[in-house]
Amino acid sequence: NAEYMGRNFGKVSATPRRPFEKERLDQELKLVGEFGLRNKREVWRVKYTLAKVRNLARELLTLPVKDPKRIFQGNALLRRLVRTGILAEEKMKLDYVLALKVDDFLERRLQTQVMKLGLARSIHHARVLIRQNISESRDK
C-alpha cells in the first residue's frame, strides 16, 4: 500500500517533564483562559514549536557569521517568522528569535485576531465564529 501517502506522523506536541508542577500548571491555565484554547495540549503544541525554532536559532548562532548554512537557514527561519507575523521586520536577527515567547505565537492565531478585530464579543465567541465559518477576516 505504498501509493497512499495521506498520513503525517510527525511529532506535534511534547508533554511536560513534570506533570504536577504548580507554577507551570497555573501559567498554562492562564494562557488557556487568555487565548481561549481548548486544552493544555494546544499550549504544549505552541511551546514545542517555539522550542524547535529557538533550538534552530541557537544552533545557527554557534556557526561563524559568514557560514553559508547560517546565512541560508537563518534567513529562511527569519523570513518564515516575519511572514507569519511572529517577528517584526525590524527585528530580523537570530538574537531576537531567542527572545520570542509563547504569547507571540498565540497572538497570531486566527481566534485571537478575530477577537482583536472586534468581530467577536469574546475570545470564546471568536472560536465559535471560526468553527461556524462566519468569520470572514481576510479582505477579498
Side-chain angles (χ1 to χ4, degrees):
N1 211 355
E3 64 261 359
Y4 179 67
M5 306 285 278
R7 298 290 299 255
N8 185 1
F9 291 110
K11 209 169 140 111
V12 178
S13 68
T15 56
R17 284 201 187 105
R18 296 180 174 171
F20 301 108
E21 200 173 17
K22 178 90 173 97
E23 192 178 302
R24 181 189 52 77
L25 287 170
D26 291 343
Q27 183 213 5
E28 284 175 354
L29 192 62
K30 185 174 162 281
L31 286 173
V32 167
E34 185 183 341
F35 292 100
L37 305 176
R38 191 175 82 219
N39 51 30
K40 298 277 182 82
R41 195 183 303 123
E42 290 192 345
V43 175
W44 300 340
R45 183 174 60 207
V46 173
K47 281 185 175 177
Y48 185 66
T49 307
L50 176 63
K52 284 199 294 190
V53 166
R54 292 188 66 206
N55 281 338
L56 180 59
R58 206 176 298 122
E59 183 187 314
L60 291 172
L61 280 168
T62 61
L63 300 171
V65 181
K66 298 286 183 214
D67 191 307
K69 181 182 175 185
R70 176 175 170 165
I71 294 168
F72 185 75
Q73 287 188 3
N75 284 342
L77 174 67
L78 292 170
R79 265 200 321 274
R80 192 169 73 227
L81 291 172
V82 168
R83 194 179 66 230
T84 53
I86 294 164
L87 201 63
E89 275 199 47
E90 60 272 5
K91 293 186 173 183
M92 277 188 75
K93 281 208 170 87
L94 288 173
D95 299 326
Y96 290 114
V97 175
L98 296 179
L100 288 174
K101 300 274 180 283
V102 176
D103 294 25
D104 298 326
F105 280 82
L106 291 172
E107 282 290 331
R108 298 304 304 158
R109 294 175 77 240
L110 179 60
Q111 185 179 353
T112 315
Q113 293 300 311
V114 168
M115 172 66 188
K116 289 254 160 59
L117 288 169
L119 300 172
R121 288 188 292 276
S122 72
I123 198 81
H124 305 293
H125 184 221
R127 191 176 189 101
V128 171
L129 289 178
I130 293 164
R131 189 75 188 90
Q132 295 171 348
N133 291 329
I134 294 170
S135 171
E136 296 278 328
S137 65
R138 295 209 172 159
D139 295 332
K140 290 180 179 165

